[in-house]
């Protein structure tokens, strides 16, 4: 039977090698565990075995210890752990003396998670500015658009393993340090995993190649400056538990990808709030097997994996199964594939089944995987030689298991009756179109002006019945300028969550109040706007016209306009 201390050690998942992870066991009337960091914060843990005193006494003792050393530290987390007679454990966590009410009662989080509790509050605007600043600085250094993302991503994953650079480092030193810190991802409690290195090696090989090709710009001085910005202005947000599920990696990669990776290839990276919405639509569960056949930087995969891991709770074997057997991705572009690898590494997954290749070559092999959930944003057709978006959808549905759900964001031109008639016919003959929702016109701003919609399909069930159609263009996001050159779309979290929950509730109603349920065929438009009818006699009155004229006159007068 494991002791309470063994259980704590496993739960914390601490690498007991560096200063901040050193465990200092105290003597009589002292706390059992003390962790300290370089910012003068402390974590104190008091544990009680099954035969020891009560849970309440453990709480009193650990907080007494905290009070005794309160003046010594900037912040203190105190944790009481009591082993129960059935082998379970009961936990209480306090931050500077205040109980953390939403903390699980029967499990611990990782030590990293507790340190992140003491980090600064999540400031989305500041993070956006910091990432934009990094991009602008790399541009000013002369670092080419097409390598900025991979250079920054490689340094970011190394910083996540405590990479430290010095101003005195030369290029050879930096290259060796990058290799060493990337290789650290192959090691865990079970030893080294060389299969993991095969994927991670792509980051190092690309980094080394970029150093050789861009010798005049990728100097040791430039890399040191990039490292410094990422370490002190960006990396701290990666592990911040206050981000509330916000996909920081998506924002990081999207900023770099807009100019370098998308425009000439029809690739537009899905905004964070829309990727979360699409995952809500496919009704993910802990046993889902997820595929993104055009995974880009891995946003959908990382989000799905995080959600399923949360559903798994403390079931370590299930978490391992999710990472190794339930997440699948394909990305054709080698540079973007490197970004996906980096993203999954930062989500603690180096073994994910993300492959570099053509999805049409690799999709047949997916049929044996039992894929029952798909979320995807395929490349958009911008030239006559480009592949039709509906081909990506059709081939992906064919690789899924029966009754699987697939959400795809796709140009609205694919939803009209005139385009791609052969694919529209084949899709409805084999699969069910459950819903089509029109997206905001500036969804990918800045970058693309493509009008898009989200489609939800059920695999291998021929289409019949009614399809939910809705106008989801008003998402509440608005443009905001961050600095001289960067403009983004932002929205208050509460406002967006209210909007999203309202949409999802309407979608799930048998008789929607906002959307429509319509019987569709492959010959007609699948868009809400084509089926919604306005009764102008009821909706427009003379008084409406008079009010509009008066409002316009008032506007002219208030702006010193002339009224003739």
């Amino acid at each position: 039977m494991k002791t309470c201390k063994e259980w704590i050690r496993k739960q914390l998942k601490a690498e007991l090698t560096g200063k901040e992870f050193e465990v200092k066991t105290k003597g009589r009337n002292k706390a059992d565990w003390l962790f300290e960091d370089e910012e003068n914060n402390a974590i104190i843990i008091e544990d009680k075995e099954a035969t020891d005193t009560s849970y309440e006494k453990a709480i009193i003792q650990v907080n007494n210890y905290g009070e005794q050393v309160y003046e010594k530290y900037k912040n203190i987390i105190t944790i009481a752990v009591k082993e129960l007679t059935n082998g379970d454990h009961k936990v209480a966590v306090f931050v500077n003396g205040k109980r953390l009410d939403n903390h699980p009662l029967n499990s611990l989080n990782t030590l990293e998670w507790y340190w992140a509790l003491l980090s600064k509050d999540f400031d989305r605007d500041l993070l956006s500015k910091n990432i934009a600043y990094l991009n602008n600085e790399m541009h000013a250094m002369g670092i080419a658009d097409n390598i900025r993302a991979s250079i920054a991503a490689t340094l970011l994953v190394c910083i996540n393993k405590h990479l430290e650079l010095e101003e005195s480092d030369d290029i050879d030193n930096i290259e060796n340090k990058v290799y060493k810190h990337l290789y650290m991802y192959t090691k865990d409690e079970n030893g080294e995993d060389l299969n993991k290195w095969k994927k991670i090696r792509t980051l190092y090989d690309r980094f080394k190649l970029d150093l050789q090709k861009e010798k005049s710009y990728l100097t040791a001085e430039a890399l040191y400056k990039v490292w410094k910005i990422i370490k002190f202005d960006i990396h701290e947000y990666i592990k911040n538990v206050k981000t509330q599920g916000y996909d920081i990696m998506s924002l990081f990669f999207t900023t770099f990808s807009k100019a370098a990776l998308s425009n000439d290839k029809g690739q537009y990276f899905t905004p964070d709030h829309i990727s979360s919405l699409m995952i809500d639509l496919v009704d993910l569960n802990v046993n889902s097997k997820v595929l993104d056949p055009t995974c880009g930087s891995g946003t959908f995969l990382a989000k799905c994996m995080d959600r399923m891991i949360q559903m798994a709770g403390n079931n370590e074997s299930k978490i391992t199964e999710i990472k190794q057997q339930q997440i699948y991705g394909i990305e054709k572009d080698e540079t973007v594939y490197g970004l996906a690898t980096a993203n999954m590494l930062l989500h603690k997954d180096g073994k994910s089944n993300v492959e570099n290749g053509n999805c049409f070559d690799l999709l047949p092999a997916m049929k044996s995987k039992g894929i029952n959930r798909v979320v995807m944003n395929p490349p958009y057709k911008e030239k006559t030689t480009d592949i039709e978006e509906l081909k990506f959808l059709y081939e992906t549905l064919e690789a899924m298991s029966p009754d699987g759900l697939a959400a795809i964001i796709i140009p609205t031109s694919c939803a009209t009756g005139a385009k791609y008639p052969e694919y529209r016919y084949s899709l409805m003959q084999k699969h069910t179109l459950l819903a089509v929702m029109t997206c905001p016109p500036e969804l990918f701003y800045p970058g693309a002006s493509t009008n898009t919609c989200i489609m939800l399909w059920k695999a291998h069930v021929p289409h019949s019945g009614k399809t939910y159609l809705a106008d989801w263009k008003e998402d509440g996001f608005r443009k905001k300028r961050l600095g001289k050159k960067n403009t983004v779309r932002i929205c208050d979290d509460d406002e967006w969550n209210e909007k999203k929950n309202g949409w999802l509730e309407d979608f799930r109603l048998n008789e929607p109040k906002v959307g429509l349920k319509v019987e569709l065929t492959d010959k007609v438009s699948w868009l809400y706007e084509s089926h919604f009818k306005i009764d102008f006699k009821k909706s427009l009155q003379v008084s409406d016209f008079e009010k509009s004229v008066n409002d316009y006159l008032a506007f002219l007068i208030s702006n010193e306009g002339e009224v003739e």
Side-chain angles (χ1 to χ4, degrees):
M1 183 175 177
K2 291 183 179 178
T3 66
C4 190
K5 283 184 171 56
E6 288 174 334
W7 181 84
I8 291 172
R9 186 181 294 269
K10 183 177 180 181
Q11 292 274 302
L12 292 179
K13 297 180 182 177
E15 299 175 13
L16 305 179
T17 54
K19 177 182 177 183
E20 66 185 61
F21 294 123
E22 272 183 17
V23 178
K24 302 178 180 178
T25 305
K26 300 294 182 179
R28 186 169 180 171
N29 297 325
K30 298 290 184 180
D32 295 311
W33 306 73
L34 172 64
F35 297 88
E36 299 169 321
D37 71 0
E38 295 175 353
E39 302 297 322
N40 199 34
N41 297 309
I43 297 172
I44 299 173
I45 303 176
E46 177 70 14
D47 67 74
K48 299 294 181 185
E49 303 286 345
T51 56
D52 215 326
T53 52
S54 69
Y55 172 65
E56 288 73 20
K57 188 169 182 179
I59 291 176
I60 294 170
Q61 283 186 347
V62 78
N63 283 313
N64 281 342
Y65 300 147
E67 289 176 8
Q68 291 171 22
V69 295
Y70 185 77
E71 297 298 327
K72 181 180 177 182
Y73 297 105
K74 185 165 63 175
N75 295 289
I76 298 177
I77 293 178
T78 49
I79 303 174
V81 179
K82 175 69 173 74
E83 184 182 28
L84 305 180
T85 54
N86 64 357
D88 291 337
H89 296 77
K90 201 170 181 180
V91 174
V93 178
F94 301 80
V95 180
N96 293 326
K98 183 179 179 181
R99 184 155 186 171
L100 200 61
D101 292 328
N102 60 351
H103 191 281
L105 292 174
N106 303 108
S107 63
L108 289 171
N109 287 303
T110 65
L111 191 62
E112 268 184 341
W113 191 92
Y114 292 111
W115 286 132
L117 271 181
L118 303 179
S119 63
K120 65 176 68 174
D121 288 337
F122 177 48
D123 186 333
R124 183 178 303 177
D125 286 354
L126 180 58
L127 173 62
S128 297
K129 288 179 181 178
N130 291 347
I131 294 174
Y133 172 73
L134 172 62
N135 188 40
N136 292 338
E137 285 295 296
M138 294 178 77
H139 174 75
M141 294 174 194
I143 301 174
D145 289 348
N146 62 344
I147 67 170
R148 274 182 229 157
S150 58
I151 290 292
T154 302
L155 290 176
L156 181 62
V157 296
C158 290
I159 289 169
N160 202 48
K161 286 291 186 183
H162 313 296
L163 169 68
E164 294 291 333
L165 297 185
E166 306 290 340
E167 284 189 84
S168 58
D169 283 335
D170 59 24
I171 284 291
D172 290 338
N173 285 339
I174 293 175
E175 185 182 316
N176 290 334
K177 286 183 177 182
V178 166
Y179 180 94
K180 174 184 174 182
H181 286 79
L182 286 176
Y183 197 81
M184 288 181 182
Y185 283 96
T186 68
K187 301 176 181 179
D188 56 27
E189 63 274 11
N190 299 316
E192 293 184 355
D193 185 343
L194 296 181
N195 288 326
K196 192 183 286 188
W197 179 242
K198 291 178 182 178
K199 290 184 180 295
I200 301 170
R201 174 100 195 197
T202 60
L203 283 175
Y204 174 72
D205 289 342
R206 178 60 192 257
F207 182 80
K208 187 174 180 179
L209 180 63
D210 288 340
L211 291 184
Q212 293 171 351
K213 289 172 63 178
E214 301 289 336
K215 289 181 181 179
S216 56
Y217 297 112
L218 280 176
T219 62
E221 181 183 4
L223 289 171
Y224 175 77
K225 288 180 180 178
V226 172
W227 167 84
K228 192 173 181 180
I229 295 171
I230 295 173
K231 177 176 172 63
F232 294 104
D233 298 329
I234 295 172
H235 178 254
E236 63 180 310
Y237 291 98
I238 298 298
K239 299 176 184 175
N240 193 329
V241 298
K242 301 174 185 177
T243 59
Q244 299 178 339
Y246 186 71
D247 189 359
I248 294 169
M249 296 309 303
S250 174
L251 177 61
F252 178 84
F253 290 136
T254 301
T255 300
F256 285 93
S257 300
K258 282 166 187 169
L261 305 174
S262 7
N263 296 343
D264 62 337
K265 300 175 184 177
Q267 292 175 303
Y268 300 103
F269 292 85
T270 315
D272 183 80
H273 69 296
I274 295 297
S275 60
S276 295
L277 173 62
M278 291 172 66
I279 294 170
D280 287 330
L281 287 170
V282 299
D283 196 21
L284 207 65
N285 62 66
V286 73
N287 295 313
S288 296
K289 291 196 173 182
V290 180
L291 168 67
D292 182 353
T294 56
C295 70
S297 62
T299 293
F300 284 127
L301 299 179
K303 279 180 173 286
C304 288
M305 185 177 72
D306 284 348
R307 286 203 193 185
M308 289 191 289
I309 287 173
Q310 287 179 5
M311 295 175 191
N314 290 311
N315 188 334
E316 291 296 330
S317 62
K318 184 60 182 176
I319 291 172
T320 300
E321 183 182 351
I322 289 169
K323 291 181 177 182
Q324 296 184 7
Q325 300 176 32
Q326 294 180 223
I327 299 290
Y328 297 88
I330 303 170
E331 175 51 48
K332 183 177 181 180
D333 187 284
E334 186 176 350
T335 299
V336 183
Y337 170 72
L339 302 186
T341 300
N343 201 355
M344 300 307 282
L345 284 175
L346 288 165
H347 284 80
K348 300 190 181 304
D349 174 38
K351 295 182 179 178
S352 60
N353 298 293
V354 180
E355 303 295 337
N356 182 205
N358 187 314
C359 69
F360 300 115
D361 295 334
L362 298 174
L363 276 172
M366 291 293 167
K367 292 182 179 181
S368 63
K369 307 296 183 185
I371 302 298
N372 55 22
R373 295 294 185 272
V374 164
V375 275
M376 63 184 297
N377 177 10
Y380 298 163
K381 182 173 182 176
E382 298 187 338
K383 300 188 291 287
T384 56
T385 55
D386 289 344
I387 297 170
E388 290 85 358
E389 299 90 346
L390 288 182
K391 178 176 173 62
F392 286 99
L393 172 61
Y394 179 78
E395 297 296 341
T396 301
L397 287 169
E398 288 293 289
M400 295 181 68
S401 59
D403 294 320
L405 297 177
I408 179 172
I409 185 165
I410 201 166
T412 53
S413 59
C414 296
T416 61
K419 265 200 157 184
Y420 316 125
E422 64 282 356
Y423 279 115
R424 290 163 57 85
Y425 175 79
S426 297
L427 281 164
M428 282 194 153
Q429 286 294 304
K430 292 189 173 184
H431 313 287
T432 297
L433 180 56
L434 297 175
V436 182
M437 288 72 65
T438 312
C439 295
E442 294 185 325
L443 185 62
F444 296 102
Y445 181 90
S449 58
T450 305
N451 291 318
T452 57
C453 61
I454 297 170
M455 292 184 183
L456 181 65
W457 290 83
K458 179 182 282 190
H460 300 292
V461 178
H463 183 81
S464 64
K466 293 184 177 182
T467 300
Y468 176 82
L469 305 180
D471 176 358
W472 285 3
K473 291 195 290 289
E474 297 298 327
D475 61 356
F477 279 67
R478 58 199 176 277
K479 295 178 187 175
K480 181 174 181 179
R481 184 176 291 277
L482 300 175
K484 295 181 179 180
K485 298 181 179 180
N486 297 283
T487 304
V488 297
R489 295 181 78 243
I490 64 166
C491 181
D492 175 75
D493 284 340
D494 292 336
E495 182 182 349
W496 162 243
N497 286 328
E498 182 179 353
K499 173 76 71 174
K500 181 186 74 168
N501 292 336
W503 284 349
L504 292 172
E505 181 181 350
D506 191 67
F507 161 70
R508 292 175 180 132
L509 292 174
N510 290 326
E511 296 183 8
K513 299 175 182 179
V514 179
L516 303 171
K517 287 281 185 79
V518 180
E519 290 186 359
L520 299 176
T521 70
D522 60 292
K523 300 288 195 298
V524 302
S525 170
W526 297 343
L527 295 175
Y528 169 89
E529 291 78 4
S530 300
H531 299 271
F532 176 68
K533 293 179 173 58
I534 301 175
D535 188 341
F536 289 100
K537 291 182 180 179
K538 290 183 178 179
S539 60
L540 292 178
Q541 306 293 329
V542 173
S543 59
D544 295 321
F545 175 74
E546 291 174 345
K547 183 178 183 302
S548 295
V549 171
N550 290 333
D551 288 344
Y552 178 63
L553 292 174
F555 166 76
L556 290 176
I557 293 170
S558 66
N559 287 276
E560 299 182 345
E562 295 183 3
V563 181
E564 296 181 356

